[in-house]
Amino acid sequence: MDAKAIETSGEVGEPQRGQRFRRKRDALLDAATNLINEHGAKATTLQAVSQAVELSTTSVTYYFPRKDVLAAAVFERAIGRLREYVDEAAKEATPRERVRCLLQLHIDLRAAVLDGTDVPIATLSEVRTLDDAIREPLLKQYVDLFRATRALWGDFPQKAKPLMTARTHLLQETIFWMPVWLARFPADEFPRVHRQLFDLFDHGLALPETAWSPIALPPGADGEPVGDEERGAPNFLGVATRLINESGYRGASVTRIVEELQVTKGSFYHHLDAKDDLIAECFRRSFSRMAAVQQAAVSAGETQWQHLEAMMAHFMDLQFEGEFPLTRTSALQALPADVRTEVLAKSDQTALRFGNTLVDGAQEGSIRVVNPMIASQTITAMLNSAYDLRKWAETMDRETAIRLYASCLTRGMFADPDTILAGE
């Protein structure tokens, strides 16, 4: 499909055909958005969408002749909605008020989704699963969205661009991960959640006098597998994890895995019964490695702050390295239901460990008092998504990359760039 077909499939290029046409088209996009968020783009069919809106598949093809046209329209609308929120926030006078406003808009949307008066925004991580002809125009729109979001911090010197890029990445990843945990709060608590989340972004986790100086954990602190030749798990897990992170669950096909490893499919099925077994094992291994690091960090230094920064530095180093990273939870939408349930439970356990560190740190006076549930989920999203910043991290030495990205949450989103860049 060429770029022109994609462009005319979106709301911007759609000719005016009357309110009835637009209402049905929007209903199809709403249904497709819910299905993509639930099952992933590859598993969302025109037949499933037609059943959701009680139309025949033939009627659906009048609006969207092919599934890829529908997917393009869903993601184009999602990026457009995100851009509308950014543009609305940009009207505020200061960077703090702009970020505060953007968070409020997304929390308000979640409230509206939960009470049935609005539909969610499609999960953009599924864009990576699409064919090049569809994906590339959407990625260009996403780059424009990212730049508009970064502009919420106003004018900044060129030397501060890497820091502002890191802040923008964390802000967006927090917003994308928010639907997973926000529904656990009652709607009448959303104003408090907004206030506490913005406080985290405004002031960070560290006390004002605390410097970033993480203690290095010993080699193998994450328990990365180095043996198990009989099962061959390390190679399969490493390759599959990278493919999941780059192309999503559907992109991590058995064919691509065996091609990269230069083994036969017979070898794959000798070690593993099915692809789903491998995907589930990737997540299990990632969470096991995270638990090992969290436990190892308990021996690093004397304070809870030292434990926390040791964990964060080690995880970011793993993600920036990229050879055997932690599995991105952005692949959730396409996972089988039983695997998804397990992944979410393990993710919550990881966040709870961070939360306990935050509580103990606040009690001993080494970490600022923050809402531990909100902060722990934000830390989880930050470290999980660090994999996407590996090219950004390659533009500087590793310690600087880790320190700059960590500062977004340890020092806050609005700390003086000169101070952060100087390492103070």
Side-chain angles (χ1 to χ4, degrees):
M1 188 172 84
D2 60 22
K4 182 175 178 58
I6 295 174
E7 179 180 335
T8 56
S9 74
E11 294 181 307
V12 175
E14 181 63 37
Q16 297 296 320
R17 301 183 186 179
Q19 293 184 0
R20 184 171 178 271
F21 178 93
R22 289 194 298 275
R23 282 198 302 270
K24 285 194 173 182
R25 186 177 185 279
D26 286 343
L28 291 170
L29 290 175
D30 291 348
T33 295
N34 287 325
L35 288 169
I36 287 174
N37 285 353
E38 181 68 21
H39 304 292
K42 292 291 186 181
T44 298
T45 64
L46 293 180
Q47 182 179 13
V49 174
S50 67
Q51 291 174 348
V53 295
E54 299 182 346
L55 285 175
S56 67
T57 304
T58 302
S59 297
V60 174
T61 59
Y62 173 73
Y63 299 89
F64 302 102
R66 297 188 305 278
K67 187 177 81 169
D68 55 2
V69 176
L70 175 59
V74 167
F75 291 120
E76 187 175 28
R77 186 177 73 160
I79 295 172
R81 292 180 70 189
L82 291 167
R83 181 58 186 267
E84 287 174 4
Y85 284 3
V86 170
D87 291 344
E88 181 65 25
K91 297 176 184 178
E92 300 294 332
T94 67
R96 278 184 170 84
E97 291 306 312
R98 293 168 197 149
V99 172
R100 187 199 302 270
C101 177
L102 186 62
L103 292 174
Q104 184 67 67
L105 290 169
H106 281 280
I107 288 175
D108 289 346
L109 171 62
R110 293 308 306 168
V113 169
L114 291 174
D115 69 19
T117 58
D118 207 338
V119 293
I121 293 175
T123 304
L124 294 182
S125 62
E126 282 294 290
V127 169
R128 72 185 70 189
T129 69
L130 303 176
D131 294 337
D132 290 347
I134 302 173
R135 184 176 65 249
E136 293 305 319
L138 293 169
L139 290 179
K140 291 178 181 178
Q141 294 176 40
Y142 180 78
V143 169
D144 289 340
L145 169 67
F146 188 91
R147 290 171 176 166
T149 307
R150 189 170 58 194
L152 296 179
W153 276 268
D155 296 330
F156 49 83
Q158 182 66 22
K159 66 178 182 178
K161 185 177 178 181
L163 175 61
M164 297 307 176
T165 295
R167 289 176 176 179
T168 305
H169 178 77
L170 176 57
L171 175 61
Q172 290 191 327
E173 288 299 323
T174 299
I175 288 171
F176 295 156
W177 185 242
M178 190 186 300
V180 175
W181 56 264
L182 186 57
R184 298 168 189 166
F185 289 87
D188 61 358
E189 283 289 298
F190 282 10
R192 191 198 302 266
V193 170
H194 174 251
R195 184 174 68 253
Q196 293 171 341
L197 177 58
F198 181 75
D199 173 77
L200 175 65
F201 281 168
D202 195 7
H203 300 293
L205 293 166
L207 298 172
E209 67 276 10
T210 303
W212 173 260
S213 182
I215 298 171
L217 298 182
D222 65 329
E224 181 176 333
V226 293
D228 200 11
E229 288 85 358
E230 181 180 351
R231 186 163 186 254
N235 284 339
F236 283 124
L237 291 178
V239 171
T241 295
R242 281 189 277 113
L243 290 175
I244 292 169
N245 288 357
E246 293 165 6
S247 304
Y249 167 76
R250 302 287 172 182
S253 65
V254 173
T255 299
R256 290 187 65 185
I257 292 169
V258 299
E259 284 178 352
E260 183 159 337
L261 285 172
Q262 297 183 340
V263 299
T264 65
K265 286 189 177 180
S267 175
F268 176 93
Y269 289 113
H270 172 73
H271 296 295
L272 298 152
D273 292 333
K275 173 187 165 182
D276 286 351
D277 295 332
L278 176 61
I279 302 303
E281 190 61 28
C282 285
F283 280 104
R284 292 185 190 116
R285 175 64 72 179
S286 285
F287 288 120
S288 174
R289 293 168 71 196
M290 294 186 77
V293 170
Q294 289 173 316
Q295 291 165 6
V298 173
S299 302
E302 299 178 354
T303 69
Q304 296 297 322
W305 167 255
Q306 290 173 323
H307 300 166
L308 179 63
E309 64 178 356
M311 294 178 207
M312 293 176 68
H314 195 90
F315 287 136
M316 282 186 275
D317 191 47
L318 283 175
Q319 298 295 71
F320 290 159
E321 181 66 33
E323 284 303 309
F324 192 5
L326 304 171
T327 312
R328 281 284 269 130
T329 49
S330 58
L332 279 174
Q333 283 67 33
L335 293 177
D338 57 336
V339 178
R340 187 187 320 177
T341 300
E342 180 183 351
V343 168
L344 287 173
K346 293 290 187 181
S347 178
D348 282 344
Q349 289 177 3
T350 300
L352 283 171
R353 289 192 181 96
F354 284 127
N356 285 334
T357 299
L358 296 171
V359 170
D360 287 347
Q363 290 176 341
E364 75 179 11
S366 66
I367 298 175
R368 280 189 64 244
V369 176
V370 295
N371 182 310
M373 178 175 178
I374 294 172
S376 63
Q377 290 289 348
T378 306
I379 293 171
T380 300
M382 177 190 201
L383 300 178
N384 191 271
S385 66
Y387 179 82
D388 296 337
L389 283 179
R390 63 198 184 282
K391 292 184 185 286
W392 167 88
E394 290 173 358
T395 65
M396 63 197 87
D397 67 84
R398 183 65 58 78
E399 288 186 3
T400 299
I402 291 172
R403 179 173 57 79
L404 289 187
Y405 191 38
S407 75
C408 301
L409 206 52
T410 60
R411 310 306 306 183
M413 294 281 201
F414 312 104
D416 177 46
D418 289 336
T419 299
I420 300 298
L421 293 171
E424 299 176 6

